[in-house]
Amino acid sequence: MDSPLRNLPPLSRFKPFEAAARLESFSQAADELSMTQTGISKQIAQLERDLGTALFERRNRAVFLTDEGRRLGQVVSTALSEIASEVAYIRGVGSSDELVLHCQLCEAFYWLMPRLARFHERHPGTELRVVSSLKPLTEARTPFDVAIQTTGRLSGTAKLVFTASDEVFPVCAPALLDASALPLNPDGLAAYPLLSHLVTPQDWMDWSDWFETIGAAVPSSERFKQFDSFPLVLQAAVAGQGVALGWKRTVQGMINEGKLIRPCQESVVRPAEIAVYQQSGSKPHPMTKSLLRWLSDELSD
């Protein structure tokens, strides 16, 4: 009987594909594997010809996994991770007992950290390490077991476990506004600087999206004051430099403390704004399911 392995494409093509799928970037995959971007592109193009299907969409110097590419990426990532784990075991290199949770910086600082004591109360003795980042999962430099980030940001081959809702509304420092003028209507917001987190691609809601969603006119671009990170946007809002968009799970603590207020009543509810992922690579940490259950409980509040 012929081995099914005889029908596989050359195995040398799977490592470049796995890196490109995980990072959703040919150039970053090339850097990681010490190859040229042309070499990565050629290996993947040959793999696509072997399979008779596209694994990536190429658009404006960026690449995005197709459904087939995502499924294959998860399988290949798992297989290569298991091989790496077995090789490490044979070489006598032990793995860490830490459970690693990757989280966007603002969610880590303002939402997660105040709740972590509850996780440790439920699971005493579990070594949980939180890794925070401003970048999407495809640019994560540290292996993780579970990750939290805004839905819509690049996630590579990480496995989506569940999503959770959030609510987006304007926030500002109490001293910025005359209390007698509250609540403002959406047009009234345009009288103040609108603090904006500009990223490329714009993979979460910004002011123009928010105004359009509530059916209001978008202010002129001169009203926007742009920052390169959301933590800076929030700090500028607390300092009274303007009005920012706030995600309820992130800013509610600052509202409770009186550092921020809601200047208007309008808000946008996003039913699947937060995404929780599990790494699709090696054998899961024994406490991964426990961490996922705890996050589900906390995010259901």
Side-chain angles (χ1 to χ4, degrees), residues 140-202:
R141 296 305 181 201
T142 302
F144 60 86
D145 298 290
V146 175
I148 308 172
Q149 70 173 17
T150 304
T151 302
R153 303 199 81 192
L154 295 176
S155 58
T157 57
K159 178 183 176 183
L160 177 64
V161 182
F162 65 88
T163 59
S165 65
D166 209 341
E167 185 179 353
V168 186
F169 45 76
V171 292
C172 66
L176 182 69
L177 306 176
D178 183 348
S180 64
L182 298 177
L184 295 177
N185 59 38
D187 291 338
L189 290 173
Y192 300 89
L194 300 178
L195 311 177
S196 173
H197 176 203
L198 182 65
V199 293
T200 303
Q202 192 69 43

Side-chain angles (χ1 to χ4, degrees), residues 197-208:
H197 176 203
L198 182 65
V199 293
T200 303
Q202 192 69 43
D203 48 15
W204 53 55
M205 177 170 276
D206 199 12
W207 278 111
S208 58

Side-chain angles (χ1 to χ4, degrees), residues 103-114 130 132 235 250:
C103 191
Q104 288 178 163
L105 182 59
C106 271
E107 283 76 7
F109 187 78
Y110 293 110
W111 180 82
L112 178 65
M113 299 311 289
V130 177
S132 62
Q235 291 305 308
T250 301

Side-chain angles (χ1 to χ4, degrees), residues 1-285:
M1 180 181 296
D2 288 343
S3 167
L5 298 180
R6 293 185 62 180
N7 296 321
L8 285 175
L11 296 181
S12 59
R13 293 173 188 164
F14 285 108
K15 192 171 182 181
F17 164 70
E18 187 278 333
R22 172 166 39 83
L23 300 168
E24 280 195 272
S25 168
F26 287 5
S27 61
Q28 291 183 40
D31 291 341
E32 180 176 295
L33 299 179
S34 299
M35 297 175 62
T36 65
Q37 184 173 341
T38 300
I40 294 286
S41 181
K42 184 179 295 185
Q43 290 285 338
I44 291 172
Q46 291 172 338
L47 181 58
E48 289 174 323
R49 283 195 294 270
D50 286 334
L51 299 175
T53 189
L55 301 173
F56 291 90
E57 294 179 19
R58 282 84 165 168
R59 298 199 304 263
N60 299 327
R61 297 185 180 181
V63 294
F64 303 90
L65 285 163
T66 63
D67 290 340
E68 292 81 2
R70 193 172 303 279
R71 288 198 300 271
L72 182 62
Q74 290 175 350
V75 172
V76 173
S77 179
T78 297
L80 291 179
S81 294
E82 289 180 352
I83 291 171
S85 296
E86 187 63 23
V87 168
Y89 175 78
I90 292 171
R91 288 174 172 168
V93 180
S95 59
S96 172
D97 290 332
E98 285 184 326
L99 179 65
V100 180
L101 173 59
H102 181 286
C103 191
Q104 288 178 163
L105 182 59
C106 271
E107 283 76 7
F109 187 78
Y110 293 110
W111 180 82
L112 178 65
M113 299 311 289
R115 291 167 167 78
L116 270 186
R118 293 205 286 264
F119 175 80
H120 291 297
E121 287 173 3
R122 186 185 295 187
H123 303 288
T126 299
E127 295 182 45
L128 178 64
R129 179 159 65 99
V130 177
V131 177
S132 62
S133 177
L134 294 171
K135 297 181 178 180
L137 289 185
T138 52
E139 298 181 44
R141 296 305 181 201
T142 302
F144 60 86
D145 298 290
V146 175
I148 308 172
Q149 70 173 17
T150 304
T151 302
R153 303 199 81 192
L154 295 176
S155 58
T157 57
K159 178 183 176 183
L160 177 64
V161 182
F162 65 88
T163 59
S165 65
D166 209 341
E167 185 179 353
V168 186
F169 45 76
V171 292
C172 66
L176 182 69
L177 306 176
D178 183 348
S180 64
L182 298 177
L184 295 177
N185 59 38
D187 291 338
L189 290 173
Y192 300 89
L194 300 178
L195 311 177
S196 173
H197 176 203
L198 182 65
V199 293
T200 303
Q202 192 69 43
D203 48 15
W204 53 55
M205 177 170 276
D206 199 12
W207 278 111
S208 58
D209 303 313
W210 189 85
F211 277 105
E212 289 173 358
T213 301
I214 67 169
V218 178
S220 63
S221 59
E222 65 186 17
R223 303 308 306 160
F224 300 119
K225 184 175 182 180
Q226 296 175 341
F227 296 81
D228 63 2
S229 80
F230 189 59
L232 288 178
V233 170
L234 287 184
Q235 291 305 308
V238 170
Q241 296 180 25
V243 183
L245 278 180
W247 277 249
K248 184 176 182 179
R249 294 185 187 276
T250 301
V251 302
Q252 189 61 51
M254 287 181 279
I255 293 174
N256 294 343
E257 294 170 359
K259 295 178 179 178
L260 294 172
I261 61 169
R262 294 180 60 170
C264 66
Q265 297 176 339
E266 288 77 10
S267 69
V268 174
V269 176
R270 309 265 282 182
E273 181 70 358
I274 298 173
V276 177
Y277 297 90
Q278 180 178 340
Q279 183 61 273
S280 62
S282 57
K283 183 178 179 181
H285 188 284

